[in-house]
Amino acid sequence: MSFLRRTATGRRAAKAVAGVAVLVLLAVLPAGSSADPSLGQLNSQLANQHARQQHLQSSLGGLTRLVSSLSSQISLVQGRESAVNSQLANDRLALAAAQTALRRERQLLALLRARLARARVLLSKQLISAYESDQPDLVSVVLESHGFNDLLERVSFLKDAEHQQQGIITTTRLAKARADSAAKRMATLEARDRKITSDEAVRAHALAGMQSLLASKQGALKQAQAIQQASLDASRQRGQQLQSSIARIEAQQQAAAQAQQSSSSGSSGSGSSSAGPALGPSGGWAIPYPIVLCESGGQNLPPNSAGASGYYQIIPSTWTGFGGTGPAAYLASKAEQDAVAARIWNGGAGASDWVCAGIVGIH
């Protein structure tokens, strides 16, 4: 049976054990409540909260080190991001220059192709004209000339026509060569343009990945910090509540001690009491007297808040369960209480049924 007791004032106890009895009563039985188990539980809970706070503080310390490490990684990523941005700016400038040169080459290529087309048309006309008309030879030119001056003019005309034809052929060749060269340059510029565009896309993708990684790590860090801090705050709040409860119970115990001292000092020498006289060590107890002294002070006490009563502080269910008559132990004779207590004690096997057995060191 679990006994949570409210003790009455111990009267006429032997002086040799009075001090010990008062200390036991103060430690175990506060006035008006079953405080000892509650106080022990509260202290245990408070110790658990302190241990939890230490664990959380240690965890927060590890999280702080993680923050420091993550900050270094963030600085590295930011440095890389700055380098990528700088390279991207250079690539964009190079791309703009390549696109400008490409436009110039395209304009030049169009112009050269137009010149080549005109030169080909002119050369075609010259060839057709030469084919359709008889090519004059030197003899016919001399015979058909009207004087020496006319001969000179005819010879000069033939030379000019031949030079013009050779010039047209040369111009056509040069135009074609320049057009081919411009086409090659344009192909090179287009390949460079595609490469710069591709490199820029790759770097932009890498930059987006870096930013995503940075945001993910920052989010995880903030979430971990929030969880740890919330747990620590909750534990501290619970610790404060437990400390308040412990302080309240200790105040109740102190008040009970003061009441005990006042009652002991004010009691009459006759030792009369509504609970009956307190019996000493020679009272013929069924269990060790130190347990009786701790439980009831050797008095036949009425029920406390837990219902325990009598010399042995037995609760009603245990009383009837072990053969006691009547609704409560304190209403029976001492002899019947001794008999029931002896059955409960069972040669010491039932010592754990009395809380005070553990307090006074009897197991």
Side-chain angles (χ1 to χ4, degrees):
M1 41 186 176
S2 177
F3 298 117
L4 305 177
R5 299 174 176 61
R6 178 176 178 262
T7 177
T9 58
R11 295 190 181 91
R12 303 187 62 176
K15 282 188 176 182
V17 296
V20 176
V22 171
L23 290 176
V24 170
L25 292 171
L26 285 175
V28 180
L29 306 171
S33 66
S34 53
D36 177 68
S38 298
L39 184 59
Q41 291 173 1
L42 289 174
N43 281 318
S44 176
Q45 292 177 15
L46 182 60
N48 291 337
Q49 290 299 326
H50 285 162
R52 176 171 174 78
Q53 289 173 19
Q54 291 177 355
H55 174 73
L56 288 172
Q57 288 174 346
S58 176
S59 179
L60 281 173
L63 189 59
T64 301
R65 290 189 292 273
L66 178 61
V67 171
S68 177
S69 176
L70 183 59
S71 297
S72 300
Q73 295 179 15
I74 290 174
S75 298
L76 179 63
V77 170
Q78 288 176 342
R80 180 58 180 164
E81 181 181 357
S82 177
V84 169
N85 284 330
S86 177
Q87 187 61 41
L88 278 174
N90 293 334
D91 288 346
R92 289 189 180 109
L93 291 175
L95 178 60
Q99 289 174 343
T100 301
L102 182 59
R103 286 193 296 270
R104 287 198 302 267
E105 290 297 329
R106 284 174 177 169
Q107 293 173 356
L108 178 60
L109 180 59
L111 177 62
L112 291 175
R113 285 177 175 173
R115 289 180 179 177
L116 178 59
R118 288 196 300 271
R120 284 176 175 172
V121 169
L122 181 59
L123 180 60
S124 176
K125 289 181 178 180
Q126 288 288 339
L127 292 174
I128 293 173
S129 176
Y131 176 78
E132 291 178 346
S133 61
D134 293 334
Q135 184 71 25
D137 55 14
L138 183 59
V139 175
S140 60
V141 169
V142 172
L143 293 176
E144 293 177 359
S145 297
H146 302 286
F148 183 73
N149 290 332
D150 186 29
L151 176 61
L152 291 177
E153 290 178 359
R154 288 176 178 267
V155 171
S156 176
F157 174 76
L158 289 175
K159 288 182 179 180
D160 291 341
E162 184 178 0
H163 288 162
Q164 184 179 10
Q165 187 176 22
Q166 291 296 326
I168 291 173
I169 294 172
T170 302
T171 300
T172 302
R173 288 175 178 173
L174 290 175
K176 185 177 183 304
R178 293 188 64 183
D180 292 341
S181 176
K184 290 181 180 180
R185 286 197 304 272
M186 188 175 69
T188 301
L189 289 173
E190 286 177 342
R192 182 183 177 187
D193 190 1
R194 287 192 298 269
K195 184 177 183 304
I196 291 175
T197 303
S198 176
D199 291 345
E200 183 177 358
V202 170
R203 288 186 174 91
H205 181 71
L207 180 60
M210 292 177 188
Q211 291 175 342
S212 176
L213 176 62
L214 179 61
S216 176
K217 287 189 175 182
Q218 286 178 335
L221 174 61
K222 290 179 180 179
Q223 183 178 7
Q225 284 178 325
I227 293 173
Q228 293 284 352
Q229 191 61 48
S231 298
L232 182 58
D233 292 342
S235 179
R236 286 173 176 169
Q237 184 178 4
R238 178 57 181 163
Q240 291 175 355
Q241 293 174 352
L242 292 171
Q243 287 175 343
S244 299
S245 299
I246 291 172
R248 183 175 63 254
I249 292 175
E250 288 176 345
Q252 292 175 353
Q253 288 182 336
Q254 185 177 3
Q258 292 175 354
Q260 173 73 17
Q261 292 175 355
S262 298
S263 178
S264 297
S265 62
S267 62
S268 63
S270 61
S272 61
S273 170
S274 59
L279 303 179
S282 60
W285 304 108
I287 65 175
Y289 177 67
I291 299 177
V292 176
L293 181 63
C294 176
E295 291 287 348
S296 66
Q299 293 181 293
N300 187 27
L301 298 177
N304 63 12
S305 59
S309 66
Y311 294 100
Y312 299 98
Q313 291 290 281
I314 303 173
I315 63 175
S317 61
T318 303
W319 171 256
T320 57
F322 280 86
T325 60
Y330 80 105
L331 298 176
S333 65
K334 181 178 183 301
E336 185 177 0
Q337 292 188 46
D338 290 341
V340 172
R343 288 194 290 271
I344 298 172
W345 179 254
N346 191 21
S352 61
D353 290 328
W354 281 275
V355 174
C356 281
I359 294 175
V360 299
I362 298 176
H363 302 285

